[in-house]
Amino acid sequence: MAVNALKDYPLRVMDGVDKYRGDWLINVGWDQHLMFCAPFMWPLPPAMRFGDLVEKIMPASFGAHPDFARIDWSKVEWLKSGKPWTPDFEKSIEENGLYHKDSLRFRTPGLNGIKGSGS
Amino acid sequence: MDMPTTKKKLGIKERYALMTRGLDWETSYQPMDKVFPYAQFEGIKIHDWDKWEDPFRLTMDAYWKYQAEKERKLYAILDAFNQNNGHLGVTDARYVNTLKLFLNGISPLEYMAHRGFAHVGRQFPGVGPRVACQMQSLDELRHAQTQIHSMSNYNKYYNGLHSPTEMIQKVWYMSVPRSFFDDAYTAGPFEFMVAIGFSFEYVLTNLLFVPFVSGAAYNGDMGAMTFGFSAQSDEARHMTLGLECIRFMLEQDPDNIPIVQKWIDKWTWRGIRVLTLVAMMMDYMLPKKVMSWKEAWEIYFEENAGALFNDLARYGIKMPECAKQAFIDKDHISHQAWATFYQYSGISNFHSWLPSEEDKDWLSAKYPDTFDKYYRPRFEHWEAEAKEGRRFYNTTLPQLCQVCQIPMIFTEPDDPTQICYRESDFGGEKYHFCSDHCKHIFDDEPEKYVQAWMPAQQIYQGNCFPEGADPTAPDFNAVEEVLKYYNIHNGRDNMDYVGSEDEKNFAEWRQTSTKN
């Protein structure tokens, strides 16, 4: 539905893809690890290798959790917009079919947070 | 010769009628619908503005008299409290952090409420709401000022209270209360009245003011407590205005019912999300606790608002759908919010800390179904980490909900271990939400919410650094620069309470005031 307004209501998108000097915002959340209160968001170059996001960016953000070092990345289950999804670590973010403001989640079966509490 | 009078004094009703009705006229240079351009576009149909009844029938002379009396008392108590170093009598300096939350996050809203009611008072063609909104507009301005006066004494001794007008516009989490008000303020006058006059001032107000005022009383803060009591009679009037406005709209035309219901649904949820901050304040920030958030929710929402919606049923108005989720969420949101501020304490203007053993036991008792199972392990893990010198500070920016602007911290109603993810596509881009209800609000007016000033996105766009900062410089420290832009003094206003200047000073001053 459109906004009910007195005059024309011009579209003003605050966080469009043009606002980040060529980077895309990518969101990643780690299921059942709510010690990190919310998913993280980073501005990343679309040409970045997906594996670099996992190996170079994510450790600085998720590494504080004792489960992080135990992750077997070959067994991780990924979701994109809530649906199962398989990334290719060697391909770029763009080649993996991702786009600005996409939302990813990953699950680490067997690793369920502090004392299995989902934290 | 004395003039004979038949009657000494006019009654309140007659005086009110003479001082408010029939003083204006139909304009001749421009048609009336151009003079009141906001009166019709929202689709609300009003056939007879004279049906608006003002239950208070307050005229300006009476208004000034009552308020002057109240404020004389308030300022006398404030003076006495301040002169006697009342701040040293509070339970613990942790308490002052609730004032930081209030002064920075709520008092500026009072000022915006003043402008909002002045605006809708001007835009409503009817005289009843015009007069009532004018009084409320003045109340809100007084509240902003008296709150600032009540709390300014703390600014002399404690950190993080030095720049509320700046912080409400810049600091990340302030975008939650600010966007709530922006949303209402940029709506039409009828929606504003449902948003602020009814949903906030009537349905949810007790959940904001009672916890803060009782919290002040329980924790020895005579200043903030007195302000609260002083505002109470105004709040009672605001509640009545909010309810009268709803009743009036519903009685004027049956076509108004679905529009009003949509606004009640939206603004109840918007308000509930903002109140997450109050939930956390009650359960984690008050050294001496009043009651749990859950208990407050049960009394002031489930019982009181439940009764209200039963009364409104005769107009065809139903309890908002979101109440079902709020019923589940009452067991979780305070813990989730405090865990958020604990980890993002490096970029906040108030301190956070871990709950003590006693606090944790209190939380277990108040939240028997959730605290031990989901939240105690998190806090105990952080406790162990802090003991090892690894106090957990999260330094990566979170994904935010596009509507309430709270980080996506809330869990699925049926699974407290799973973050709730919702999204919509609009104009070729994705937008993310914390809940079905925030998504629903977005989907109804996407053009409005794509304009949201999202604090994390703004930082990444480079808009939250001080002038002259150079993000390309090799030694550029983004966090330091954002704190400078926020006017948060790094190492003094932010981070853990343990080891803070507030903690140290309070202990020293209290010692000096009670011992030789």
Side-chain angles (χ1 to χ4, degrees):
Chain A
M1 249 181 85
V3 172
N4 186 9
L6 200 54
K7 298 175 189 161
D8 288 342
Y9 201 91
L11 194 62
R12 196 172 64 117
V13 178
M14 283 291 264
D15 299 315
V17 69
D18 56 325
K19 300 277 171 66
Y20 297 88
R21 303 167 300 276
D23 286 349
W24 288 350
L25 295 178
I26 300 291
N27 303 289
V28 180
W30 185 4
D31 279 359
Q32 271 73 52
H33 288 80
L34 303 189
M35 179 179 110
F36 306 108
C37 62
F40 289 130
M41 179 172 77
W42 304 270
L44 303 171
M48 179 190 255
R49 181 179 157 268
F50 188 80
D52 284 352
L53 163 62
V54 175
E55 291 147 19
K56 295 181 182 161
I57 307 278
M58 282 167 50
S61 302
F62 289 111
H65 199 291
D67 280 353
F68 192 75
R70 298 182 206 134
I71 297 174
D72 176 352
W73 287 98
S74 67
K75 292 197 177 125
V76 165
E77 298 164 9
W78 291 87
L79 295 124
K80 182 187 158 199
S81 293
K83 293 186 187 85
W85 177 75
T86 312
D88 182 335
F89 275 41
E90 297 312 318
K91 286 189 172 164
S92 71
I93 287 172
E94 187 169 18
E95 287 160 355
N96 267 290
L98 296 176
Y99 185 59
H100 181 56
K101 296 210 283 181
D102 263 340
S103 181
L104 300 177
R105 289 157 57 185
F106 66 101
R107 300 181 154 206
T108 50
L111 299 174
N112 299 317
I114 290 143
K115 293 178 182 166
S117 67
S119 275
Chain B
M1 195 181 94
D2 286 344
M3 291 289 284
T5 49
T6 47
K7 213 175 168 188
K8 273 189 178 161
K9 250 182 161 181
L10 295 169
I12 293 173
K13 200 175 171 179
E14 291 164 288
R15 196 173 58 197
Y16 173 77
L18 285 166
M19 294 301 280
T20 58
R21 298 300 194 271
L23 296 173
D24 54 353
W25 58 83
E26 294 262 326
T27 54
S28 54
Y29 290 94
Q30 290 284 333
M32 287 293 271
D33 60 354
K34 282 205 174 155
V35 178
F36 295 99
Y38 292 85
Q40 283 171 31
F41 82 96
E42 293 174 276
I44 293 289
K45 294 174 184 161
I46 303 298
H47 305 288
D48 183 2
W49 280 100
D50 287 336
K51 290 271 162 41
W52 178 292
E53 281 173 31
D54 181 349
F56 285 95
R57 300 198 181 93
L58 202 56
T59 49
M60 288 313 295
D61 56 331
Y63 180 85
W64 293 130
K65 192 170 150 248
Y66 294 141
Q67 304 303 351
E69 244 164 63
K70 274 189 343 195
E71 272 168 32
R72 259 194 304 275
K73 285 180 198 155
L74 169 68
Y75 283 98
I77 294 172
L78 282 183
D79 280 347
F81 182 73
N82 296 346
Q83 280 171 20
N84 288 304
N85 276 324
H87 69 99
L88 292 178
V90 299
T91 44
D92 185 76
R94 283 181 177 83
Y95 164 75
V96 179
N97 291 285
T98 69
L99 299 180
K100 298 177 193 179
L101 200 56
F102 198 94
L103 181 72
N104 288 284
I106 306 293
S107 300
L109 303 192
E110 303 271 12
Y111 185 79
M112 283 303 274
H114 146 67
R115 297 194 64 192
F117 280 101
H119 170 69
V120 300
R122 159 66 181 85
Q123 294 301 339
F124 280 143
V127 66
R130 188 186 307 157
V131 172
C133 287
Q134 180 191 29
M135 307 287 179
Q136 182 156 355
S137 173
L138 292 170
D139 288 339
E140 305 292 0
L141 182 59
R142 285 177 29 251
H143 292 181
Q145 294 185 356
T146 48
Q147 281 168 20
I148 290 166
H149 284 144
S150 299
M151 285 178 262
S152 70
N153 189 52
Y154 287 93
N155 181 41
K156 294 180 188 160
Y157 304 100
Y158 302 93
N159 298 319
L161 292 152
H162 54 282
S163 190
T165 50
E166 188 178 7
M167 290 200 184
I168 187 75
Q169 298 185 62
K170 294 180 174 177
V171 176
W172 59 281
Y173 73 92
M174 296 295 176
S175 82
V176 175
R178 182 164 52 89
S179 74
F180 170 87
F181 234 89
D182 274 1
D183 192 349
Y185 191 64
T186 51
F190 288 105
E191 185 177 347
F192 179 88
M193 285 305 289
V194 173
I196 306 302
F198 178 73
S199 299
F200 204 75
E201 296 277 355
Y202 198 102
V203 183
L204 301 169
T205 187
N206 282 331
L207 285 159
L208 177 66
F209 284 98
V210 175
F212 272 104
V213 176
S214 312
Y218 270 55
N219 287 279
D221 180 3
M222 187 80 84
M225 184 188 84
T226 311
F227 156 73
F229 287 135
S230 160
Q232 215 166 32
S233 57
D234 303 327
E235 298 298 339
R237 190 154 30 78
H238 301 172
M239 290 176 78
T240 312
L241 174 60
L243 190 60
E244 171 59 20
C245 182
I246 291 281
R247 192 197 59 79
F248 175 68
M249 280 190 255
L250 296 172
E251 285 180 355
Q252 282 291 306
D253 200 293
D255 289 352
N256 294 342
I257 297 168
I259 304 175
V260 170
Q261 179 78 56
K262 185 176 94 169
W263 288 335
I264 291 176
D265 292 352
K266 168 182 171 183
W267 287 99
T268 303
W269 185 248
R270 292 286 268 130
I272 287 172
R273 277 306 193 222
V274 174
L275 290 175
T276 304
L277 290 168
V278 182
M280 147 186 120
M281 187 281 286
M282 292 183 78
D283 285 346
Y284 286 89
M285 296 175 75
L286 289 176
K288 190 167 165 52
K289 300 177 200 320
V290 178
M291 60 170 87
S292 69
W293 164 255
K294 185 180 173 179
E295 288 165 323
W297 181 258
E298 285 166 353
I299 297 170
Y300 296 114
F301 190 87
E302 289 172 17
E303 284 176 33
N304 293 2
L308 165 69
F309 282 102
N310 284 341
D311 286 348
L312 290 175
R314 66 193 162 104
Y315 295 111
I317 290 293
K318 295 190 200 83
M319 174 65 101
E321 192 63 23
C322 65
K324 285 182 195 150
Q325 183 171 341
F327 180 81
I328 298 168
D329 285 355
K330 70 184 173 188
D331 263 313
H332 298 280
I333 58 167
S334 67
H335 319 298
Q336 293 167 345
W338 188 242
T340 303
F341 279 95
Y342 179 79
Q343 62 195 267
Y344 285 114
S345 205
I347 49 171
S348 303
N349 67 318
F350 65 91
H351 299 297
S352 64
W353 55 88
L354 287 166
S356 67
E357 288 308 313
E358 208 178 279
D359 290 337
K360 278 183 283 184
D361 291 343
W362 184 85
L363 290 162
S364 298
K366 295 292 181 189
Y367 296 92
D369 301 329
T370 55
F371 183 74
D372 286 350
K373 196 171 173 193
Y374 303 111
Y375 304 106
R376 187 186 276 268
R378 200 175 303 177
F379 289 116
E380 288 183 345
H381 172 71
W382 285 336
E383 208 174 288
E385 288 289 292
K387 272 192 192 132
E388 296 294 319
R390 293 190 300 262
R391 198 282 190 198
F392 178 52
Y393 288 110
N394 190 339
T395 54
T396 310
L397 297 179
Q399 185 179 5
L400 309 174
C401 171
Q402 187 75 27
V403 171
C404 70
Q405 305 200 12
I406 297 176
M408 303 247 302
I409 63 171
F410 299 108
T411 47
E412 286 287 355
D414 62 355
D415 182 0
T417 68
Q418 177 59 54
I419 294 284
C420 184
Y421 291 83
R422 298 290 183 270
E423 62 179 52
S424 292
D425 287 294
F426 180 75
E429 288 198 10
K430 288 200 163 60
Y431 293 89
H432 303 281
F433 315 101
C434 68
S435 56
D436 289 329
H437 308 289
C438 279
K439 174 177 158 60
H440 186 75
I441 291 168
F442 177 91
D443 290 344
D444 195 51
E445 293 182 298
E447 298 90 342
K448 185 167 191 180
Y449 298 98
V450 298
Q451 304 170 76
W453 190 96
M454 306 280 280
Q457 278 87 324
Q458 289 299 314
I459 289 173
Y460 282 145
Q461 285 184 29
N463 297 334
C464 300
F465 301 129
E467 225 166 290
D470 177 13
T472 59
D475 60 343
F476 183 76
N477 181 330
V479 174
E480 286 269 348
E481 296 302 319
V482 168
L483 288 173
K484 272 187 215 157
Y485 170 79
Y486 285 172
N487 196 359
I488 289 176
H489 303 119
N490 195 10
R492 200 164 72 192
D493 301 332
N494 57 348
M495 311 184 76
D496 206 295
Y497 175 74
V498 177
S500 68
E501 197 174 72
D502 275 6
E503 182 193 45
K504 183 177 144 278
N505 285 341
F506 184 73
E508 245 175 59
W509 294 332
R510 179 114 94 176
Q511 172 94 6
T512 320
S513 71
T514 55
K515 294 199 176 78
N516 293 311

